[in-house]
Amino acid sequence: FLGSQNITGRLLVGLRWWAQVEGEEGTETKWIFEAAPDTSTTNKFDSTWFWGVLYVTPLVWSVFFFSCLLKWNFAWMITVSFAIALSSANVYGYWQCSKDQKAKFQQMVAKGAEYGAGAAIRHNVFGRVAGFANMFGPSAGQPQGQAQGQARETTFV
């Protein structure tokens, strides 16, 4: 796990992280996060796939966890729990390495908040405008003589 994650991280995005045991008795753990100083050589396609797969993996394992929970399959739930822990640790480790990814994550959250606020304003403002327009006349597409909300009867001979 750690070997493959550091190889892919270093080759694809120029990041790697590991835990180093220190102290006389090996009781202290120091986490080391490294980023390549020059990331201009990283391929955009590889970087996008790396971060996409990295973020999706814990979500997929979480779906498996809830599947095991619904089926009361506790034996597989233990295995899936370890997979969630390891993949989440991988996300956290690479996220700590990448200052760029932290900034992108914050931008994504800000854009999501802006989109949500914009959608709420649009729905609220346009809903009020439509309601205001309906108070003064029939909506578009209805004949002038027909009141809003009333059905028109048609007889076929």
Side-chain angles (χ1 to χ4, degrees), residues 34-80:
E34 287 185 350
D38 181 28
T39 58
S40 63
T41 59
T42 58
N43 185 352
K44 180 72 174 163
F45 179 78
D46 291 342
S47 177
T48 302
W49 270 98
F50 175 82
W51 288 106
V53 169
L54 189 70
Y55 287 143
V56 167
T57 303
L59 299 175
V60 171
W61 283 114
S62 297
V63 168
F64 290 149
F65 179 83
F66 287 114
S67 173
C68 290
L69 186 64
L70 291 175
K71 293 179 181 180
W72 294 100
N73 193 343
F74 292 109
W76 277 108
M77 197 180 302
I78 294 169
T79 304
V80 171

Side-chain angles (χ1 to χ4, degrees), residues 86-107:
L86 290 174
S87 60
S88 298
N90 214 11
V91 169
Y92 177 75
Y94 281 117
W95 193 73
Q96 284 290 86
C97 291
S98 176
K99 294 177 185 173
D100 180 47
Q101 200 62 17
K102 289 179 188 179
K104 284 183 181 179
F105 182 76
Q106 289 173 348
Q107 286 175 351

